[in-house]
Amino acid sequence: AAQSPPVTVFAAASLRGALDDLAAQYGAPVTVSFAGSGTLARQVAAGAPADLVVLANPAWMDWLAEQDVSFAGPTRSIASNRLVVISHQEIEPLNDISALPVKLDTGRLAMGHRDAVPAGAYARQWLQSIDLWNRLEPQLAETDNVRSALALVARGAAPFGIVYATDAMAETRVHTVFDVPANLHDPILYPAAALSAGGQAFLEYLASPAAQVVFAAHGFAEAPE
Amino acid sequence: MTLQVEIKHQLGGLSLKVGFEAAGGITAIFGRSGTGKTTVINAVAGLLRPDAGRVSLGGDVFVDTASGRFVPPAKRRLGYVFQDARLFPHLTVRDNLTFGARYAPPGAQGAGLDDVVALLGLAPLMARRPGTLSGGEKQRVAIGRALLSRPRMLLMDEPLASLDAPRKQEILPYLERLRDGPLNLPILYVSHAVDEVARLADRLVLLQDGEVQAQGPLYDVMADPAAVPLLGVREAGAVIEAEVIAHADDGLSTLRISAGTLELPGVQADIGARVRLRVLAQDVILSLSRPEGLSSVNVLPVRVETVHPGGGPGAAIGLRAGKDRVLARVTARAVAEMQLAPGLDCYAILKATTVAPGSIGR
Amino acid sequence: MTLQVEIKHQLGGLSLKVGFEAAGGITAIFGRSGTGKTTVINAVAGLLRPDAGRVSLGGDVFVDTASGRFVPPAKRRLGYVFQDARLFPHLTVRDNLTFGARYAPPGAQGAGLDDVVALLGLAPLMARRPGTLSGGEKQRVAIGRALLSRPRMLLMDEPLASLDAPRKQEILPYLERLRDGPLNLPILYVSHAVDEVARLADRLVLLQDGEVQAQGPLYDVMADPAAVPLLGVREAGAVIEAEVIAHADDGLSTLRISAGTLELPGVQADIGARVRLRVLAQDVILSLSRPEGLSSVNVLPVRVETVHPGGGPGAAIGLRAGKDRVLARVTARAVAEMQLAPGLDCYAILKATTVAPGSIGR
Amino acid sequence: MTADSAAWEALRLSLWVAGWATVLAVPLALWVAWILARKSFWGKSLLNAVVHLPLVLPPVVTGYLLLISFSPNAPMGQALSAMGLQLAFHWTGAVLAAIVMGFPLMVRAMRLAIEAVDPKLEEAAETLGAGRISVFARVTLPLIGPGILAGAVMGFAKAMGEFGATITFVANIPGQTQTLPGAIWAALQIPGGEGQAVTMVLMASAVAVAAVLLSEVLARRVSARIAAK
Amino acid sequence: MTADSAAWEALRLSLWVAGWATVLAVPLALWVAWILARKSFWGKSLLNAVVHLPLVLPPVVTGYLLLISFSPNAPMGQALSAMGLQLAFHWTGAVLAAIVMGFPLMVRAMRLAIEAVDPKLEEAAETLGAGRISVFARVTLPLIGPGILAGAVMGFAKAMGEFGATITFVANIPGQTQTLPGAIWAALQIPGGEGQAVTMVLMASAVAVAAVLLSEVLARRVSARIAAK
Ligand SMILES: Nc1ncnc2c1ncn2[C@@H]1O[C@H](COP(=O)(O)OP(=O)(O)OP(=O)(O)O)[C@@H](O)[C@H]1O
Ligand SMILES: Nc1ncnc2c1ncn2[C@@H]1O[C@H](COP(=O)(O)OP(=O)(O)OP(=O)(O)O)[C@@H](O)[C@H]1O
Ligand code: MOO
Ligand SMILES: [Mg+2]
Ligand SMILES: [Mg+2]
């Protein structure tokens, strides 16, 4: 894609890192404006000068599709992710997650806000499905985005947290102690939609095998078709 | 240019109901503390909208509540010397002084900066700011600021209260010159110092509890025995007109009044000029015979017109000296001993030095 | 209780260098505008730290720059009546008046609220706030506030400047009573009104350009011809002591002075009391022969001591009357005609009514 | 918890937090304002700059700095925790965040008011025998009443609106630390949540209007007393 | 763009935005402050409350309201766009957001200063012939200098620190709308990005300290002139 035009991407904050690398590799200048998915969706609906929008939340993409916005192509998910439980201290992986409340003791369990942050919503689905929600709810530390939850655990302000696998991988001060089974919550997808030809080109690049290698290096998985 | 004031205003417990005229010259407002003097001046200046009434200067109607007319202060061109100096703290003395100059219409006549600075002794203060001025210095700047705005009329609320006597003696003649000079600047003047008022004023308005108690030419009001409680016993006295007829080498001048001649020191006026003399009632001694060998050289034949017993042991004696009226204050005992009664002819001794330069005007 | 002041201070262009004592009674500070009067009082009050010097009252050293001692104002217990009233705008008149009462030590003697309110005519204002008071009303509240703090000494900076004459005549005797009463409250008093100063003061400090020009007992300084330019020509005059010996039915009292007796109206003192009389130089007439048939009843035999020609046409004649000194102001022509010279015996005529009630003190 | 009851709960918590923040911050801000207005000392400029810092830094940073200082595993947090005072993830921490964020506003308002007081009045009080504390309590304090009120209402308003530092420091836990701004933000993060957000924005606005009106009425009463000086 | 040059770029933009916001907001805030301090009219309380609103609402809401009002497909945004003024997703919008967010602070400081001016001085100027505008320019304005300065420095500081409304209204586009707070926030989104954030926090702090110091020096010069009244 050597002769591609410059693109402006509005992208969910949790993609920072991976997208930076991909932008650097792309053959044209890529500017990325990071924000939360809700903010992004509204901005695009309001006429933001975006060529491509990548959200961390399919619900917001559904909302955006209903607005008066003309996409340059079909929406598609460019990556998927997993939830993990992380700890501040290096401990044995939890084979039995029902031990979590005991391990937590009086500490806090950091995660995204149960409704407002997609990672938090997935975490709640999972905790409810395994009947730990009611037990843990009083001890939650719900944050404004998943990276804040990660930071809480990284600094030790909270001993445990539920974040994306990608976050856990990038932060050296946390330890993954449990992999959340993907079937216990909605699929974690990053839907993207192009608003211009340039955006469409970059979207295609993101879906390309070369890009997927970079995604994988950051811990993302390929999105199911 | 005549100022006509006719206002009613309710201010807390005080019902102000004042009507007076101030035609040319200096009109003094006199009255006890809290009687409404400042309030009246504020109404003239436009800082107070009276509940009802009319204020006009010459042909210009400043306020007429009947027709709803109200001219804002800035358009009235009245130079107001406030009871509190109200200098602009952020401006130097110089900038305070020249503040109003630019708003005067191009042709407006008025005092020049250098004259005013010299008169008020402000030269060493020009670069200072009001914060560090002494009380008297502030007051002087305030006077200068009002003068230099080239007003059509001056409103002065106790302008000389915190000035020393020598400075007052410099400023008073200046005010007289303003009154008498080509500008003929009318002045409304509040003061508690009777000697200032007696010297300067052409008309007097006596206020009491928000109402006019007496008003009229200075002569009449000052000689009104009813005004004595307000003026103070020591300050009552008549004012008479005289013509300067000669200046002698020793500094004494001869002045003619209707009843004869007086020899007075320190008269500044030219020969032929008419001047105004203040004769304090208490400075007049009565004698049945023409006195001999006295240091006092001014003796006038007079006839007793009225004998007005005062509240205490004194009595006010109204005298006719030629066409003039003179007031003498003597003890009740002297009234009895000398058998003072209307129609009696006797002699009034005026001490030469009692008529100080300051009490000669016009 | 003696106040001793000895300070040096540089204030802008003014080098203050003042040393004086104020022992009991009233010490007046007199001087032209900007001469440093307020600055001196501020140093006494503790509102100004002098560059160098010492201030003490009785045994208490307030300031001693040599030892670094400085007593804060609150600990000095001096009642300060400021040149600008400085009332607390958020407090009613009543609360302003009583502000200082609680800081006085339990046993402190002093004026009572009711007395002060009556004296100053504040009763109708008690619930008001300073914002709406007239100039004179503010000043009265400020006086009352200082009095009611039960101070050990009063500092008064032109306290009566904007008061009407009748009110002054009520306040002055009160200040005299404070001075003379059981409290024996010393007062440091700045005023431009010579009659106030002459009436009240025991000592006079004349300031000029930041330095003491003359100081001493009132008599001496007032009679000092060199002080005349500062005091004003009309105001110079001697002060003599007298004893009240009789009160007649007609209101005249007989007073004995060393040279004879005087008949004066309106003397309030008891028989046997010693009072102070002020005799203005210009109120004294000299006669070579004993005058007859005059309304003036007070004639004293005197001897000329000094003849001091003034700057203008007048001359100040120093007279000895018994043990007292009297000052007369006559014209230069009279000096020549009467051949006034030291050693000449003649008669001084004092008009009965010239000695007003206000000029009798102690 | 229904959406509605969550909104009311957030409002209650916001009022509680803002109330405490205002009450606690006023005396402290007054003290700092007084020092800045009246004293000169080494480091005054630094103090002044520090007071302004929460205005300049993104709120998230302030919240983050608070977290680092007071998190359960930080020394200071542990010390306070031992004294029974938990800040991080507690409403008490929201109070602290609101105090810190509102501090520059309060200090500035009070400082301006103190600087407008004529020191000659304080001198007059001193000559009447009043010591420093009395002068402050009986003269300075009443005269700066409108300024204190202005500072308090600014602090209160800021406390009602504070979001970034609060969510970073105490998180956004419904029923525990979710203040009105947190709840509004959360509602806006859900597609179609605007309706609920509007309700809460109206709540916040109503509180703001009420606070401002109240403060104006009080201020008018105070300054009517002082009237024209 | 390297991380470092991004930081410098964000600093430059922040200074630019804050500078414009301050310059534009001062006269407006002064006018509103004057009205609130001196006039009484129907709706004054409402105006006062509206001015305070950005303090009470979460910044995101303010940003969202701005977005709704001025977005390219909103009527007002289109009108302005036709006049060549783009706000949403432009640095000009960041200026607007900073103005709105800093407005309550500026107005309050200026209002306190105006209320401290003795109207008797203005009356004196009127009697000397000065009309309303002259009185304001030659008496009121110089006397409230310190208050204006205080308001300006508060507004500038707030503009430097504004994040929530800005990111919502103009997004966070590096080199175009990414101010220092946006860059700091973005840095914190990278695990382990604190190091870069710290650099930028120090930059912001340095600017704050400089602005505050400068304003103090200026204020001291102004009030030294006025000295003890
Ligand atoms: N806003 C107000 N509310 C109530 N009373 C007021 C108000 N303003 C003035 N007064 C009263 O009105 C009276 C007249 O005030 P004014 O200032 O005119 O007096 P004045 O004659 O100038 O006195 P002074 O010689 O003491 O200056 C005073 O008693 C004052 O207390
Ligand atoms: N901070 C200052 N800087 C420069 N000059 C000052 C300062 N403060 C006072 N002065 C000057 O010092 C002189 C003495 O002032 P002070 O107030 O003591 O005079 P005063 O004798 O009380 O005069 P007045 O009778 O006019 O009240 C004045 O000329 C004044 O201008
Ligand atoms: O990128 Mo998110 O919206 O914090 O999951
Ligand atoms: Mg008055
Ligand atoms: Mg003085």
Side-chain angles (χ1 to χ4, degrees):
Chain A
Q3 295 309 311
S4 312
V7 286
T8 299
V9 182
F10 276 42
S14 52
L15 288 169
R16 198 142 189 215
L19 262 194
D20 286 342
D21 288 355
L22 289 163
Q25 287 182 15
Y26 191 55
V30 178
T31 310
V32 190
S33 178
F34 288 105
S37 298
T39 304
L40 296 173
R42 286 207 176 80
Q43 288 176 333
V44 170
D51 299 297
L52 177 69
V53 56
V54 190
L55 302 180
N57 184 345
W60 273 114
M61 189 56 87
D62 295 345
W63 176 87
L64 186 55
E66 290 164 17
Q67 306 303 307
D68 188 16
V69 181
S70 50
F71 291 150
T75 63
R76 61 186 290 183
S77 294
I78 52 162
S80 70
N81 213 338
R82 296 177 294 119
L83 284 185
V84 294
V85 178
I86 53 170
S87 72
H88 177 63
Q89 275 165 350
E90 185 158 13
I91 55 168
E92 289 291 303
L94 298 175
N95 294 319
D96 180 8
I97 193 62
S98 59
L100 183 59
V102 180
K103 295 270 180 200
L104 202 53
D105 192 15
T106 58
R108 294 268 172 179
L109 176 65
M111 59 177 245
H113 188 272
R114 63 185 75 171
D115 300 315
V117 179
Y122 300 132
R124 174 164 70 151
Q125 281 182 337
W126 169 57
L127 289 175
Q128 283 173 332
S129 76
I130 60 171
D131 278 341
L132 273 182
W133 174 254
N134 288 337
R135 186 107 182 256
L136 289 175
E137 194 196 353
Q139 277 174 271
L140 296 179
E142 293 169 82
T143 62
D144 60 331
N145 65 44
V146 65
R147 288 280 157 84
S148 300
L150 177 68
L152 286 182
V153 181
R155 296 216 70 89
F160 290 92
I162 306 173
V163 299
Y164 293 129
T166 51
D167 301 319
M169 206 173 135
E171 175 58 78
T172 55
R173 292 170 294 175
V174 301
H175 310 277
T176 302
V177 295
F178 186 78
D179 290 307
V180 175
N183 59 346
L184 295 182
H185 55 75
D186 290 343
I188 304 175
L189 298 173
Y190 293 86
L195 297 128
S196 69
Q200 187 64 35
F202 188 60
L203 175 55
E204 275 155 21
Y205 166 72
L206 291 181
S208 70
Q212 289 298 320
V213 171
V214 176
F215 274 123
H218 283 270
F220 291 93
E222 228 165 298
E225 283 308 311
Chain B
M1 214 158 17
T2 306
L3 175 77
Q4 289 185 301
V5 177
E6 190 71 52
I7 50 172
K8 280 190 193 172
H9 194 74
Q10 188 68 32
L11 201 63
L14 182 83
S15 308
L16 199 72
K17 201 176 142 191
V18 169
F20 67 92
E21 267 192 23
I26 298 180
T27 303
I29 303 185
F30 204 89
R32 299 200 55 173
S33 169
T35 213
K37 303 181 294 298
T38 301
T39 309
V40 168
I41 294 207
N42 280 343
V44 173
L47 301 182
L48 179 108
R49 269 177 201 255
D51 295 340
R54 214 181 120 94
V55 177
S56 63
L57 177 66
D60 295 355
V61 178
F62 288 159
V63 181
D64 185 1
T65 52
S67 69
R69 186 176 171 79
F70 180 84
V71 177
K75 294 266 159 62
R76 297 190 184 192
R77 296 193 51 226
L78 306 174
Y80 191 163
V81 181
F82 294 92
Q83 196 167 1
D84 45 340
R86 302 202 193 177
L87 301 181
F88 303 123
H90 59 295
L91 299 180
T92 59
V93 168
R94 176 183 300 279
D95 292 343
N96 266 282
L97 288 173
T98 57
F99 188 94
R102 71 172 72 169
Y103 306 114
Q109 298 281 305
L113 180 62
D114 295 344
D115 291 351
V116 168
V117 167
L119 167 76
L120 299 166
L122 299 177
L125 308 176
M126 293 302 270
R128 299 253 301 272
R129 268 170 236 277
T132 64
L133 298 183
S134 80
E137 288 165 348
K138 283 191 187 122
Q139 205 169 34
R140 277 142 59 197
V141 177
I143 295 171
R145 186 177 66 173
L147 286 175
L148 288 168
S149 71
R150 317 215 153 164
R152 295 196 297 166
M153 180 171 184
L154 272 179
L155 311 176
M156 309 187 90
D157 198 351
E158 299 191 36
L160 308 183
S162 60
L163 292 187
D164 52 285
R167 179 68 63 192
K168 273 188 200 168
Q169 294 308 323
E170 286 161 33
I171 297 178
L172 288 174
Y174 186 85
L175 293 179
E176 283 169 343
R177 288 203 298 281
L178 286 180
R179 177 190 66 186
D180 302 333
L183 287 179
N184 219 308
L185 200 65
I187 302 179
L188 202 58
Y189 194 93
V190 171
S191 170
H192 290 303
V194 185
D195 54 349
E196 255 169 61
V197 167
R199 170 180 175 168
L200 287 174
D202 299 300
R203 293 178 62 82
L204 208 53
V205 177
L206 291 186
L207 277 192
Q208 190 156 24
D209 297 332
E211 298 196 15
V212 175
Q213 206 66 6
Q215 67 165 313
L218 178 76
Y219 318 92
D220 299 347
V221 181
M222 286 287 287
D224 186 347
V228 171
L230 269 172
L231 296 172
V233 169
R234 272 186 81 92
E235 306 286 356
V239 174
I240 49 183
E241 256 196 4
E243 185 188 351
V244 181
I245 51 177
H247 292 303
D249 291 341
D250 60 2
L252 282 186
S253 305
T254 308
L255 293 94
R256 176 159 37 228
I257 61 172
S258 62
T261 60
L262 301 175
E263 312 257 310
L264 301 178
V267 176
Q268 306 287 354
D270 290 338
I271 288 175
R274 300 197 67 78
V275 298
R276 190 159 63 152
L277 305 180
R278 184 174 171 218
V279 184
L280 287 185
Q282 64 181 9
D283 284 346
V284 177
I285 298 174
L286 293 183
S287 174
L288 293 175
S289 56
R290 177 175 275 278
E292 303 293 332
L294 282 179
S295 64
S296 170
V297 293
N298 294 312
V299 178
L300 294 176
V302 295
R303 171 170 293 172
V304 176
E305 279 197 327
T306 55
V307 176
H308 192 285
I317 313 296
L319 304 166
R320 170 72 53 181
K323 281 183 272 174
D324 297 306
R325 284 162 64 207
V326 180
L327 208 61
R329 197 173 147 72
V330 301
T331 61
R333 186 183 294 182
V335 173
E337 280 181 5
M338 295 174 70
Q339 292 182 297
L340 295 177
L344 179 74
D345 286 314
C346 56
Y347 294 88
I349 306 167
L350 315 184
K351 286 197 61 197
T353 47
T354 45
V355 184
S359 60
I360 299 182
R362 178 156 300 168
Chain C
M1 211 158 20
T2 306
L3 175 76
Q4 289 185 299
V5 177
E6 189 71 52
I7 50 171
K8 280 189 193 172
H9 194 76
Q10 188 67 35
L11 201 63
L14 182 83
S15 309
L16 200 72
K17 201 175 141 188
V18 169
F20 68 90
E21 266 190 25
I26 297 180
T27 302
I29 302 185
F30 204 89
R32 298 200 56 174
S33 168
T35 213
K37 304 180 295 297
T38 300
T39 310
V40 168
I41 293 207
N42 280 342
V44 173
L47 300 183
L48 178 108
R49 270 177 200 254
D51 296 339
R54 213 181 120 93
V55 177
S56 63
L57 178 65
D60 294 354
V61 178
F62 288 159
V63 181
D64 186 2
T65 53
S67 69
R69 185 177 171 80
F70 181 84
V71 177
K75 294 269 159 62
R76 298 190 183 191
R77 296 193 52 225
L78 306 174
Y80 191 163
V81 181
F82 295 90
Q83 196 167 1
D84 45 340
R86 301 202 194 177
L87 301 181
F88 303 123
H90 58 296
L91 298 180
T92 59
V93 167
R94 175 184 300 278
D95 292 343
N96 265 283
L97 289 173
T98 57
F99 187 94
R102 69 171 74 170
Y103 305 114
Q109 297 280 305
L113 180 63
D114 294 345
D115 291 352
V116 168
V117 167
L119 167 75
L120 299 166
L122 300 176
L125 309 176
M126 294 301 270
R128 299 255 298 272
R129 270 169 236 276
T132 64
L133 297 183
S134 80
E137 286 165 349
K138 281 190 188 126
Q139 205 171 32
R140 277 140 62 194
V141 176
I143 295 171
R145 187 178 67 171
L147 286 174
L148 287 168
S149 70
R150 317 214 155 165
R152 296 195 297 165
M153 180 170 183
L154 272 179
L155 310 176
M156 310 187 88
D157 198 350
E158 300 191 36
L160 309 183
S162 61
L163 292 187
D164 52 285
R167 179 67 64 190
K168 274 189 199 168
Q169 294 307 323
E170 285 160 32
I171 296 177
L172 288 173
Y174 185 85
L175 294 179
E176 283 169 342
R177 290 204 296 281
L178 286 179
R179 178 189 66 187
D180 302 333
L183 288 179
N184 218 309
L185 200 65
I187 303 179
L188 201 58
Y189 194 93
V190 171
S191 171
H192 290 303
V194 186
D195 56 349
E196 255 170 60
V197 166
R199 171 181 176 168
L200 286 173
D202 299 300
R203 293 179 63 83
L204 208 53
V205 178
L206 292 185
L207 277 191
Q208 190 156 25
D209 295 333
E211 298 195 16
V212 174
Q213 205 66 2
Q215 67 166 310
L218 178 77
Y219 318 92
D220 299 349
V221 181
M222 286 287 287
D224 186 347
V228 171
L230 269 172
L231 295 172
V233 169
R234 273 188 81 91
E235 305 286 356
V239 174
I240 49 184
E241 257 198 1
E243 184 189 352
V244 182
I245 51 177
H247 292 303
D249 291 341
D250 61 2
L252 283 186
S253 304
T254 309
L255 292 94
R256 175 156 40 225
I257 62 171
S258 62
T261 60
L262 300 175
E263 312 257 311
L264 301 178
V267 175
Q268 305 287 353
D270 289 339
I271 288 175
R274 300 196 69 78
V275 299
R276 191 157 65 149
L277 306 179
R278 182 173 172 219
V279 184
L280 286 184
Q282 64 180 10
D283 284 347
V284 176
I285 298 174
L286 293 184
S287 174
L288 291 176
S289 57
R290 177 174 274 276
E292 303 293 332
L294 284 178
S295 63
S296 169
V297 292
N298 293 312
V299 178
L300 294 176
V302 294
R303 171 170 292 169
V304 176
E305 278 196 327
T306 55
V307 175
H308 193 285
I317 313 295
L319 304 167
R320 171 73 53 181
K323 280 182 271 174
D324 296 307
R325 284 161 65 207
V326 180
L327 208 63
R329 196 174 147 72
V330 300
T331 61
R333 186 184 290 184
V335 172
E337 281 182 2
M338 295 173 70
Q339 293 181 297
L340 294 177
L344 179 75
D345 284 315
C346 56
Y347 293 89
I349 307 168
L350 316 184
K351 287 196 61 197
T353 46
T354 48
V355 184
S359 60
I360 299 183
R362 177 157 298 166
Chain D
M1 195 154 31
T2 69
D4 238 32
S5 81
W8 284 108
E9 178 60 27
L11 174 64
R12 195 198 57 76
L13 184 64
S14 269
L15 287 171
W16 180 250
V17 165
W20 272 107
T22 309
V23 166
L24 293 176
V26 162
L28 192 65
L30 190 55
W31 183 64
V32 171
W34 191 80
I35 283 182
L36 288 175
R38 287 294 169 82
K39 297 279 161 188
S40 50
F41 53 93
W42 192 93
K44 174 173 165 175
S45 299
L46 192 73
L47 173 63
N48 194 17
V50 167
V51 166
H52 279 84
L53 222 46
L55 215 53
V56 186
L57 298 180
V60 187
V61 170
T62 306
Y64 198 55
L65 293 175
L66 287 173
L67 185 66
I68 292 174
S69 312
F70 296 103
S71 83
N73 57 343
M76 213 174 342
Q78 277 167 354
L80 285 175
S81 190
M83 291 162 56
L85 182 63
Q86 288 227 318
L87 290 172
F89 312 119
H90 264 257
W91 69 267
T92 46
V95 171
L96 179 62
I99 290 176
V100 169
M101 295 300 289
F103 211 63
L105 320 188
M106 302 181 89
V107 167
R108 184 56 86 164
M110 294 177 192
R111 180 176 167 188
L112 280 168
I114 292 171
E115 284 170 342
V117 170
D118 188 349
K120 289 184 173 178
L121 292 176
E122 297 170 324
E123 285 183 358
E126 282 185 74
T127 67
L128 291 166
R132 285 155 155 262
I133 295 173
S134 290
V135 170
F136 185 77
R138 297 182 71 194
V139 178
T140 319
L141 198 60
L143 287 176
I144 61 175
I148 296 180
L149 214 56
V153 82
M154 302 266 290
F156 182 82
K158 178 74 205 172
M160 287 296 297
E162 215 305 299
F163 166 65
T166 306
I167 197 172
T168 309
F169 183 31
V170 299
N172 192 5
I173 312 162
Q176 293 181 49
T177 61
Q178 188 177 74
T179 56
L180 212 43
I184 293 171
W185 172 83
L188 285 175
Q189 300 311 308
I190 304 163
E194 287 97 339
Q196 211 195 333
V198 166
T199 311
M200 289 187 283
V201 163
L202 290 179
M203 279 178 177
S205 307
V207 171
V209 170
V212 166
L213 285 186
L214 183 68
S215 78
E216 291 294 319
V217 169
L218 287 176
R220 216 169 299 146
R221 202 175 295 174
V222 171
S223 43
R225 280 207 275 139
I226 303 179
K229 292 168 221 167
Chain E
M1 195 151 35
T2 69
D4 239 31
S5 79
W8 284 107
E9 179 59 27
L11 175 63
R12 194 199 59 73
L13 185 64
S14 267
L15 287 171
W16 179 251
V17 165
W20 271 107
T22 309
V23 166
L24 293 177
V26 162
L28 193 65
L30 189 56
W31 182 64
V32 172
W34 191 81
I35 283 182
L36 288 176
R38 287 293 170 80
K39 298 277 160 187
S40 50
F41 52 93
W42 192 92
K44 174 173 165 175
S45 299
L46 192 72
L47 172 64
N48 194 17
V50 167
V51 166
H52 278 84
L53 222 47
L55 215 53
V56 186
L57 297 181
V60 190
V61 171
T62 307
Y64 189 47
L65 292 175
L66 288 173
L67 186 63
I68 292 174
S69 311
F70 297 103
S71 78
N73 44 15
M76 212 175 342
Q78 278 166 353
L80 286 175
S81 192
M83 290 161 56
L85 181 63
Q86 288 228 315
L87 291 172
F89 312 111
H90 264 259
W91 68 266
T92 46
V95 172
L96 179 61
I99 290 175
V100 169
M101 295 302 286
F103 211 63
L105 320 187
M106 303 181 87
V107 168
R108 184 57 86 161
M110 295 177 191
R111 181 177 167 186
L112 280 168
I114 292 170
E115 283 169 342
V117 170
D118 188 349
K120 289 183 174 178
L121 292 177
E122 297 171 324
E123 286 183 357
E126 283 185 74
T127 67
L128 291 166
R132 284 155 156 263
I133 294 174
S134 290
V135 170
F136 185 77
R138 297 182 71 195
V139 179
T140 319
L141 197 61
L143 287 175
I144 62 175
I148 295 179
L149 215 56
V153 83
M154 302 265 291
F156 182 82
K158 179 72 207 173
M160 287 296 298
E162 215 306 298
F163 167 65
T166 307
I167 195 175
T168 309
F169 183 31
V170 298
N172 193 7
I173 311 167
Q176 293 180 48
T177 61
Q178 188 176 73
T179 56
L180 214 42
I184 292 171
W185 177 82
L188 288 173
Q189 299 310 307
I190 309 172
E194 285 101 336
Q196 210 197 332
V198 166
T199 312
M200 288 188 282
V201 165
L202 290 179
M203 279 178 178
S205 306
V207 171
V209 170
V212 166
L213 286 185
L214 182 70
S215 79
E216 291 294 318
V217 170
L218 287 177
R220 218 170 298 146
R221 201 174 296 173
V222 171
S223 43
R225 282 206 274 139
I226 304 180
K229 295 168 215 163

